[in-house]
Amino acid sequence: MRAKITARMALALSMGALPALSQATVISFQDGVNGYTATQDVELRQDSPSTNFGFNANITIDGDDASGPLDDTNALLMFGDIFGGSPNQIPLGSTINSATLELELHNPGDNVNMLRMLTGWDESTATWDSLGNGIQDTPGEAVFTQLLTGLNGNHEDIISIDVSADVSLWANGADNFGWGFTPTGDDGFDFHASNHWNDGHLKPRLLVDYTAPQSSTVPEPSTILLLGLGLLGIRAGRKRR
């Protein structure tokens, strides 16, 4: 009887020591949904270089046009507090299987440069001048990541942008300062901002599919094997006696 109990214990302990397989989790971040309120976005205007436009309901990325030589507009967008140990956060060190930024088109326009920001900013204070003559692809400020195309659709079209590489960097410890957007032409592209009124329009949304890291307390496979063999050895010795 004891031999049978020991064998069962060996099996149970061995199975209990096996690391649980991590499963992919999909999480969504959007201002005002599920208690999330940490989206920041702001328009930067060259014609009003010291004015903050963090209250805008729609954000424009535009180049010089016929109305004047100094009327570029840039934009900043960030999803803050998305990493951590809370239930509605992504654990640091997670594997990012995919990450998609969704913007709802307010006004179609030209292609737009997307940059990963390397310096901090706040939507309540950021201006054209505070970024040093708008957003620049320079060391320490921002780095170009991709050219956004297909922005000439219809009003309320959803623009889906693959941002997996950037979110992966943040998941592995890089500072999350969000993205910057700069124009390539004089036909502005507009999207609905996080301050947009709640009338059915889509505020910026970040969808992340991730696999959380396994706990550091999970035993090594060799430890599990030795534990199982040792307990089975005890069972065999008792059976011979």
Side-chain angles (χ1 to χ4, degrees):
M1 183 67 178
R2 288 183 178 176
K4 290 182 180 179
I5 293 175
T6 304
R8 289 172 185 165
M9 289 175 58
L11 179 61
L13 287 170
S14 297
M15 292 298 292
L18 290 174
L21 296 177
S22 296
Q23 295 182 341
T25 301
V26 178
I27 190 169
S28 173
F29 301 97
Q30 185 180 30
D31 224 59
V33 178
N34 295 326
Y36 181 75
T37 58
T39 310
Q40 294 197 57
D41 45 25
V42 59
E43 184 177 305
L44 311 176
R45 301 188 62 89
Q46 190 178 22
D47 61 1
S48 302
S50 60
T51 302
N52 172 259
F53 293 93
F55 52 82
N56 284 16
N58 301 302
I59 288 181
T60 301
I61 302 105
D62 200 356
D64 290 338
D65 60 28
S67 63
L70 298 175
D71 58 1
D72 274 14
T73 57
N74 296 171
L76 293 164
L77 171 63
M78 175 172 59
F79 293 84
D81 297 330
I82 63 175
F83 296 99
S86 298
N88 293 323
Q89 290 182 310
I90 303 168
L92 282 171
S94 293
T95 299
I96 305 302
N97 304 313
S98 66
T100 303
L101 171 64
E102 292 183 343
L103 302 175
E104 186 172 77
L105 183 64
H106 176 69
N107 182 60
D110 291 328
N111 297 340
V112 166
N113 297 311
M114 186 172 185
L115 306 94
R116 178 167 48 83
M117 297 303 296
L118 304 176
T119 187
W121 55 274
D122 187 279
E123 69 174 357
S124 64
T125 57
T127 66
W128 181 272
D129 280 350
S130 73
L131 267 289
N133 196 32
I135 301 169
Q136 304 294 324
D137 180 6
T138 56
E141 180 170 329
V143 58
F144 175 84
T145 59
Q146 59 182 304
L147 179 69
L148 304 184
T149 60
L151 308 180
N152 55 351
N154 299 312
H155 176 64
E156 297 184 4
D157 280 354
I158 304 301
I159 308 300
S160 296
I161 306 164
D162 183 359
V163 292
S164 304
D166 296 332
V167 178
S168 292
L169 287 172
W170 298 332
N172 284 287
D175 289 325
N176 172 17
F177 297 129
W179 298 282
F181 303 89
T182 61
T184 65
D186 57 12
D187 184 7
F189 159 67
D190 298 19
F191 65 88
H192 296 307
S194 61
N195 286 332
H196 201 281
W197 42 91
N198 295 317
D199 57 358
H201 288 94
L202 179 77
K203 299 178 181 182
R205 179 167 62 185
L206 179 63
L207 299 170
V208 183
D209 182 316
Y210 71 91
T211 302
Q214 294 184 3
S215 172
S216 60
T217 60
V218 172
E220 294 292 328
S222 57
T223 303
I224 297 169
L225 179 61
L226 288 173
L227 174 62
L229 290 175
L231 290 172
L232 289 173
I234 293 172
R235 175 185 179 275
R238 289 182 174 179
K239 187 175 181 181
R240 284 197 298 270
R241 288 197 298 270

